[in-house]
Amino acid sequence: QVQVVDSGGDSVQAGGSLRLSCVISGFNTNVRRMGWFRQVPAKEREGVATIVGGSSVAYYADSVRGRFTISHDATKNILYLQMSGLTPEDTAMYYCATGFSGSSSSWMKRLNYAHWGQGTQVTVSS
């Protein structure tokens, strides 16, 4: 049984940093694509960052590039999202996703991911 548990969300002030973690079990993430998404009420869930398990090649949404870093600890099967320079616009529920199928160019499409975490809330105040 696949389990995806994300955590690390918190309330921080603008300019602050957070690290989100996602523990994945029951699923071999080696050479499989994983990602972080975020969603605010009444808006579509949007892709934030993606990486292939065991690699360092990552893609980012334009809105977070240069501020966020995605990484994967293959030995522990944990996906991370290091966030810095946070702004109120980063306030959202953040979700970890794995079980991707499709081309790398479609990494932002939520329907291409089979397994999701429950979400962790990030709130940034000005």
Side-chain angles (χ1 to χ4, degrees):
Q1 182 180 355
V2 179
Q3 287 191 319
V4 182
V5 181
D6 34 35
S7 62
D10 205 345
S11 296
V12 297
Q13 290 194 327
S17 300
L18 279 176
R19 188 177 78 161
L20 306 184
S21 300
C22 173
V23 179
I24 303 167
S25 59
F27 187 80
N28 183 6
T29 57
N30 191 32
V31 303
R32 297 296 299 272
R33 182 169 298 283
M34 299 166 280
W36 285 99
F37 285 71
R38 65 185 182 186
Q39 188 171 21
V40 297
K43 287 194 174 182
E44 291 288 322
R45 191 170 299 186
E46 63 171 354
V48 173
T50 183
I51 193 169
V52 172
S55 83
S56 59
V57 177
Y59 301 119
Y60 298 92
D62 290 343
S63 58
V64 306
R65 189 176 296 112
R67 299 187 298 121
F68 290 11
T69 302
I70 188 171
S71 61
H72 178 236
D73 184 335
T75 61
K76 299 178 181 178
N77 211 8
I78 299 177
L79 183 69
Y80 297 102
L81 184 68
Q82 179 68 47
M83 307 184 293
S84 60
L86 287 163
T87 73
E89 289 68 38
D90 295 316
T91 295
M93 186 72 80
Y94 283 72
Y95 298 89
C96 169
T98 187
F100 175 85
S101 58
S103 65
S104 58
S105 61
S106 66
W107 72 267
M108 283 188 169
K109 295 184 178 179
R110 59 174 293 184
L111 293 179
N112 287 355
Y113 295 82
H115 310 295
W116 291 84
Q118 80 285 358
T120 185
Q121 178 68 37
V122 173
T123 303
V124 185
S125 58
S126 58

Coordinates of all heavy atoms in Angstrom, one line a residue, residues 9-18 20 37-41 43 46-48 61-68 81-95 120-126:
G9 N 4.7 22.3 7.1 CA 4.1 23.6 6.9 C 4.0 24.3 8.2 O 3.9 23.8 9.3
D10 N 4.0 25.7 8.1 CA 3.9 26.5 9.3 C 3.5 27.9 8.9 O 3.4 28.2 7.7 CB 5.3 26.5 10.0 CG 5.2 26.8 11.4 OD1 4.2 27.3 11.9 OD2 6.2 26.6 12.1
S11 N 3.4 28.8 9.9 CA 3.2 30.2 9.6 C 4.5 30.9 9.8 O 5.1 30.8 10.9 CB 2.1 30.7 10.6 OG 0.9 30.1 10.4
V12 N 4.9 31.7 8.8 CA 6.1 32.5 8.9 C 5.9 33.9 8.3 O 4.9 34.1 7.7 CB 7.3 31.8 8.0 CG1 7.6 30.4 8.6 CG2 6.9 31.7 6.6
Q13 N 6.9 34.7 8.6 CA 6.8 36.1 8.1 C 7.5 36.1 6.7 O 8.3 35.3 6.4 CB 7.5 37.1 9.1 CG 6.7 37.2 10.3 CD 7.2 38.4 11.1 OE1 8.4 38.8 11.1 NE2 6.3 39.1 11.8
A14 N 7.1 37.1 6.0 CA 7.7 37.3 4.6 C 9.2 37.4 4.8 O 9.8 38.0 5.7 CB 7.1 38.6 4.0
G15 N 9.9 36.8 3.8 CA 11.3 36.7 3.8 C 11.9 35.5 4.5 O 13.1 35.2 4.4
G16 N 11.0 34.8 5.2 CA 11.4 33.6 6.0 C 11.6 32.4 5.1 O 11.4 32.4 3.9
S17 N 12.0 31.3 5.8 CA 12.2 30.0 5.1 C 11.5 28.9 5.8 O 11.2 28.9 7.0 CB 13.7 29.7 5.1 OG 14.5 30.7 4.5
L18 N 11.2 27.8 5.0 CA 10.6 26.6 5.5 C 11.1 25.4 4.7 O 11.5 25.6 3.5 CB 9.1 26.6 5.4 CG 8.3 27.4 6.5 CD1 6.8 27.3 6.1 CD2 8.5 26.8 7.8
L20 N 9.7 21.7 3.6 CA 8.7 20.7 3.6 C 9.3 19.3 3.4 O 10.3 19.2 2.6 CB 7.6 21.0 2.5 CG 7.0 22.4 2.6 CD1 5.9 22.5 1.5 CD2 6.4 22.7 3.9
F37 N 3.1 20.4 -5.3 CA 2.1 21.2 -5.8 C 1.6 22.1 -4.7 O 1.8 21.9 -3.5 CB 0.9 20.4 -6.4 CG 1.2 19.7 -7.7 CD1 2.1 18.7 -7.8 CD2 0.5 20.2 -8.8 CE1 2.3 18.1 -9.0 CE2 0.7 19.5 -10.1 CZ 1.6 18.5 -10.1
R38 N 0.8 23.2 -5.1 CA 0.2 24.0 -4.1 C -1.2 24.4 -4.6 O -1.4 24.5 -5.8 CB 1.1 25.2 -3.7 CG 1.3 26.2 -4.8 CD 2.3 27.3 -4.3 NE 2.5 28.3 -5.3 CZ 3.4 29.3 -5.2 NH1 4.2 29.3 -4.1 NH2 3.6 30.2 -6.1
Q39 N -2.0 24.8 -3.6 CA -3.4 25.2 -4.0 C -3.9 26.1 -2.9 O -3.7 26.0 -1.7 CB -4.3 23.9 -4.0 CG -5.7 24.2 -4.6 CD -6.4 22.9 -4.8 OE1 -6.1 21.9 -4.3 NE2 -7.4 23.0 -5.7
V40 N -4.6 27.2 -3.5 CA -5.3 28.1 -2.6 C -6.8 27.9 -3.0 O -7.1 27.5 -4.0 CB -4.9 29.6 -2.8 CG1 -3.4 29.7 -2.4 CG2 -5.1 30.0 -4.3
P41 N -7.6 28.3 -2.0 CA -9.1 28.1 -2.2 C -9.6 28.7 -3.5 O -9.1 29.8 -3.9 CB -9.7 28.8 -1.0 CG -8.7 28.6 0.0 CD -7.4 28.8 -0.7
K43 N -8.9 28.0 -6.5 CA -8.0 28.0 -7.6 C -7.5 26.6 -7.9 O -7.6 25.7 -7.0 CB -6.8 28.9 -7.3 CG -7.1 30.4 -7.4 CD -5.8 31.2 -7.4 CE -6.1 32.7 -7.7 NZ -4.9 33.5 -7.7
E46 N -1.5 23.9 -8.5 CA -0.5 24.2 -9.5 C 0.8 23.5 -9.1 O 1.2 23.4 -8.0 CB -0.3 25.8 -9.6 CG 0.2 26.4 -8.3 CD 0.6 27.8 -8.5 OE1 0.7 28.3 -9.6 OE2 1.0 28.5 -7.5
G47 N 1.5 23.1 -10.2 CA 2.8 22.5 -10.0 C 3.9 23.5 -9.5 O 3.9 24.6 -10.1
V48 N 4.7 23.2 -8.5 CA 5.7 24.1 -8.0 C 7.1 23.6 -8.4 O 7.9 24.4 -8.9 CB 5.6 24.1 -6.4 CG1 6.7 24.9 -5.8 CG2 4.3 24.7 -6.0
A61 N 8.4 26.0 -11.3 CA 7.5 27.0 -11.8 C 8.2 28.3 -11.8 O 9.1 28.6 -10.9 CB 6.2 27.0 -10.9
D62 N 7.9 29.2 -12.7 CA 8.5 30.5 -12.8 C 8.4 31.3 -11.5 O 9.3 32.0 -11.1 CB 7.9 31.3 -14.0 CG 8.3 30.7 -15.3 OD1 9.2 29.9 -15.4 OD2 7.6 31.1 -16.3
S63 N 7.3 31.1 -10.8 CA 7.0 31.9 -9.6 C 7.9 31.5 -8.5 O 8.1 32.3 -7.5 CB 5.6 31.7 -9.2 OG 5.3 30.4 -9.0
V64 N 8.6 30.4 -8.5 CA 9.4 30.0 -7.4 C 10.9 29.7 -7.7 O 11.7 29.5 -6.8 CB 8.8 28.7 -6.7 CG1 7.4 28.9 -6.3 CG2 9.0 27.5 -7.6
R65 N 11.2 29.7 -9.0 CA 12.5 29.5 -9.4 C 13.5 30.4 -8.8 O 13.3 31.6 -8.8 CB 12.6 29.5 -10.9 CG 14.0 29.0 -11.5 CD 14.0 29.0 -13.0 NE 13.1 28.1 -13.5 CZ 12.0 28.4 -14.2 NH1 11.7 29.7 -14.5 NH2 11.2 27.5 -14.7
G66 N 14.6 29.9 -8.2 CA 15.6 30.7 -7.6 C 15.3 30.9 -6.1 O 16.2 31.3 -5.3
R67 N 14.1 30.5 -5.6 CA 13.8 30.6 -4.2 C 13.5 29.3 -3.6 O 13.8 29.1 -2.4 CB 12.6 31.5 -4.0 CG 12.7 32.9 -4.5 CD 11.5 33.8 -4.1 NE 10.3 33.3 -4.7 CZ 9.2 32.9 -4.0 NH1 9.2 32.9 -2.7 NH2 8.1 32.4 -4.6
F68 N 13.0 28.4 -4.3 CA 12.7 27.0 -3.8 C 13.7 26.0 -4.4 O 14.1 26.1 -5.6 CB 11.3 26.6 -4.2 CG 10.2 27.4 -3.6 CD1 10.4 28.5 -2.8 CD2 8.9 26.9 -3.7 CE1 9.4 29.2 -2.2 CE2 7.8 27.6 -3.1 CZ 8.1 28.7 -2.3
L81 N 11.2 20.0 0.0 CA 11.1 21.3 -0.7 C 11.6 22.4 0.3 O 10.9 22.7 1.3 CB 9.6 21.6 -1.1 CG 9.5 22.9 -1.9 CD1 10.1 22.7 -3.3 CD2 8.0 23.2 -2.1
Q82 N 12.8 22.9 0.0 CA 13.3 24.0 0.7 C 12.9 25.3 0.1 O 13.1 25.5 -1.0 CB 14.9 23.9 0.7 CG 15.5 25.0 1.5 CD 15.3 24.9 3.0 OE1 15.5 23.9 3.6 NE2 15.0 26.1 3.6
M83 N 12.2 26.1 1.0 CA 11.6 27.3 0.5 C 12.3 28.5 1.2 O 12.4 28.5 2.4 CB 10.1 27.3 0.7 CG 9.4 26.1 0.2 SD 7.6 26.2 0.4 CE 7.5 26.1 2.1
S84 N 12.7 29.5 0.5 CA 13.3 30.7 1.1 C 12.7 31.9 0.4 O 12.1 31.8 -0.7 CB 14.8 30.7 1.0 OG 15.2 30.6 -0.4
G85 N 13.0 33.1 1.0 CA 12.4 34.3 0.4 C 10.9 34.3 0.2 O 10.4 34.7 -0.7
L86 N 10.3 33.7 1.2 CA 8.8 33.5 1.1 C 8.1 34.8 1.1 O 8.5 35.8 1.8 CB 8.3 32.6 2.3 CG 8.7 31.1 2.2 CD1 8.5 30.4 3.5 CD2 7.8 30.5 1.1
T87 N 7.0 34.8 0.3 CA 6.1 36.0 0.2 C 4.7 35.6 0.5 O 4.4 34.4 0.5 CB 6.2 36.6 -1.2 OG1 5.5 35.8 -2.1 CG2 7.6 36.8 -1.7
P88 N 3.8 36.5 0.8 CA 2.4 36.2 1.1 C 1.8 35.4 -0.1 O 0.9 34.6 0.1 CB 1.8 37.6 1.3 CG 2.9 38.4 1.9 CD 4.1 38.0 1.1
E89 N 2.3 35.6 -1.3 CA 1.8 34.9 -2.5 C 2.1 33.4 -2.4 O 1.5 32.7 -3.2 CB 2.3 35.5 -3.8 CG 1.7 36.9 -4.1 CD 2.2 38.0 -3.2 OE1 3.4 38.0 -2.7 OE2 1.3 38.9 -2.8
D90 N 3.0 33.0 -1.6 CA 3.3 31.6 -1.4 C 2.4 30.9 -0.5 O 2.5 29.7 -0.3 CB 4.8 31.4 -0.9 CG 5.8 31.9 -1.9 OD1 5.6 31.6 -3.1 OD2 6.8 32.6 -1.5
T91 N 1.5 31.6 0.2 CA 0.6 31.0 1.1 C -0.4 30.1 0.3 O -1.0 30.4 -0.7 CB -0.3 32.1 1.8 OG1 0.6 32.9 2.6 CG2 -1.4 31.5 2.6
A92 N -0.4 28.8 0.8 CA -1.2 27.8 0.1 C -1.1 26.5 0.9 O -0.3 26.4 1.8 CB -0.7 27.6 -1.3
M93 N -1.9 25.5 0.5 CA -1.7 24.2 1.0 C -0.8 23.5 0.0 O -1.0 23.6 -1.2 CB -3.1 23.5 1.0 CG -3.0 22.1 1.6 SD -2.8 22.0 3.3 CE -4.5 22.4 3.9
Y94 N 0.3 22.9 0.5 CA 1.3 22.3 -0.3 C 1.1 20.7 -0.3 O 0.9 20.2 0.8 CB 2.7 22.7 0.1 CG 3.0 24.1 -0.3 CD1 2.5 25.2 0.3 CD2 4.0 24.3 -1.3 CE1 2.8 26.5 -0.1 CE2 4.3 25.5 -1.7 CZ 3.7 26.6 -1.1 OH 4.1 27.9 -1.5
Y95 N 1.2 20.1 -1.5 CA 1.0 18.7 -1.6 C 2.2 18.1 -2.3 O 2.7 18.6 -3.3 CB -0.3 18.4 -2.4 CG -1.5 18.9 -1.9 CD1 -2.0 20.2 -2.2 CD2 -2.3 18.1 -1.1 CE1 -3.2 20.6 -1.7 CE2 -3.5 18.6 -0.6 CZ -4.0 19.8 -0.9 OH -5.1 20.3 -0.3
T120 N 0.0 20.1 3.5 CA 0.6 20.8 4.7 C 0.5 22.3 4.4 O 0.8 22.7 3.3 CB 2.0 20.3 5.0 OG1 2.5 20.9 6.2 CG2 3.0 20.6 3.8
Q121 N -0.1 23.0 5.3 CA -0.4 24.4 5.1 C 0.8 25.3 5.4 O 1.5 25.2 6.4 CB -1.5 24.8 6.1 CG -1.9 26.3 6.0 CD -2.6 26.7 4.6 OE1 -3.3 25.9 4.1 NE2 -2.2 27.9 4.1
V122 N 1.1 26.2 4.4 CA 2.1 27.2 4.5 C 1.4 28.6 4.5 O 0.7 28.9 3.6 CB 3.1 27.1 3.4 CG1 4.1 28.3 3.5 CG2 3.9 25.8 3.5
T123 N 1.6 29.4 5.5 CA 1.0 30.7 5.6 C 2.1 31.7 5.8 O 2.9 31.6 6.7 CB 0.0 30.8 6.8 OG1 -1.0 29.8 6.6 CG2 -0.6 32.2 6.8
V124 N 2.2 32.7 4.9 CA 3.2 33.7 5.0 C 2.6 35.1 5.2 O 1.7 35.5 4.4 CB 4.1 33.8 3.7 CG1 5.2 34.8 3.8 CG2 4.6 32.4 3.3
S125 N 3.0 35.7 6.3 CA 2.4 37.0 6.6 C 3.3 38.2 6.2 O 4.6 38.0 6.3 CB 2.0 37.1 8.1 OG 3.2 36.9 8.9
S126 N 2.8 39.3 5.9 CA 3.6 40.4 5.5 C 4.0 41.3 6.7 O 3.5 41.1 7.8 CB 2.8 41.3 4.5 OG 1.6 41.7 5.1

